[in-house]
Amino acid sequence: MHQAEPNRDETAQLPPDDVIGVLLRQHARIRELFDAVRDGTVEARRASFLELRALLAVHETAEEMIVRPTVKHIGGEEEAAARNSEEKEANKVLADLEKLEFGSEQFTSMLAGFEQSVKEHAAHEEREEFPSLRRLCTPEELGRLGRRLLAVESAAPTHPHPATAGSPAAQWTLGPFAALLDRVRDAIRKN
């Protein structure tokens, strides 16, 4: 188990709308999807990558729009800026991965480095951001943040958009338009 990876029993005991619990469950799913992208049939691996791409896109957007402003407000301006910077870089890499031939040597190599950076990013959040949120926010505030995070995710872009990544203001301004285009694009590709 990764040093920062939370205890599953503790995570399961958090209320379903607790923002930290929501994010920890998503971090666990992201780790599972990275494993699934490496194992199985080509079709199953490709489907896992598409799910991973969409989950990372909505997860990072919602963190930037909901979590980072709260972290910044409670005194973690440097922490919020560092995590937003990491997410901006991750968004660029994810966009590059999306352009590569799935399973190619270049894709596989880039994916391995990307996985490592995503895991390090999640570890920073779990070690630095989440304890601050837990300490400085009431359970009611954490629930409200969780509900807002889930609402944003339901309408967030499903593909990486490096031009808006890392900027909560850009996410709020351009994100809804990007999300609409992404969801139309996803629907067309399914048919």
Side-chain angles (χ1 to χ4, degrees):
M1 178 156 59
H2 190 278
Q3 177 184 354
E5 190 175 323
N7 179 308
R8 288 180 193 223
D9 293 334
E10 291 174 26
T11 302
Q13 293 175 4
L14 294 170
D17 62 353
D18 179 283
V19 70
I20 296 169
V22 170
L23 294 172
L24 289 173
R25 286 186 289 278
Q26 290 177 356
H27 286 181
R29 182 64 183 146
I30 289 165
R31 286 189 288 274
E32 290 170 0
L33 287 168
F34 271 115
D35 290 343
V37 171
R38 285 192 304 276
D39 301 324
T41 66
V42 172
E43 295 82 23
R45 291 179 19 241
R46 182 178 284 116
S48 294
F49 175 72
L50 294 176
E51 182 182 345
L52 175 67
R53 183 220 56 227
L55 176 56
L56 285 169
V58 300
H59 174 87
E60 291 173 359
T61 297
E63 282 182 332
E64 290 174 15
M65 294 172 73
I66 303 302
V67 176
R68 295 293 136 53
T70 302
V71 169
K72 185 177 178 180
H73 177 74
I74 61 177
E77 190 167 334
E78 288 180 26
E79 177 67 23
R83 298 299 74 81
N84 279 345
S85 177
E86 291 167 0
E87 286 176 354
K88 185 174 183 69
E89 182 58 32
N91 212 284
K92 289 177 188 173
V93 175
L94 192 56
D96 289 343
L97 277 166
E98 199 173 32
K99 295 174 191 169
L100 295 175
E101 180 184 336
F102 180 83
S104 69
E105 188 175 315
Q106 187 179 8
F107 176 92
T108 303
S109 175
M110 186 179 286
L111 181 70
F114 180 63
E115 178 180 7
Q116 185 61 39
S117 67
V118 167
K119 286 181 175 181
E120 288 171 7
H121 173 77
H124 282 292
E125 290 176 342
E126 293 169 9
R127 275 194 321 262
E128 297 160 21
E129 275 187 333
F130 296 177
S132 295
L133 286 169
R134 177 75 56 217
R135 191 174 59 255
L136 299 170
C137 295
T138 67
E140 294 77 20
E141 290 170 321
L142 293 172
R144 183 178 48 79
L145 287 171
R147 290 185 297 278
R148 289 180 67 209
L149 181 110
L150 291 169
V152 165
E153 285 184 345
S154 71
T158 59
H159 293 263
H161 292 276
T164 60
S167 170
Q171 295 286 13
W172 280 106
T173 305
L174 301 174
F177 301 108
L180 178 63
L181 294 174
D182 285 354
R183 289 170 197 277
V184 169
R185 178 170 49 164
D186 293 343
I188 290 170
R189 287 185 179 163
K190 284 183 183 177
N191 295 323

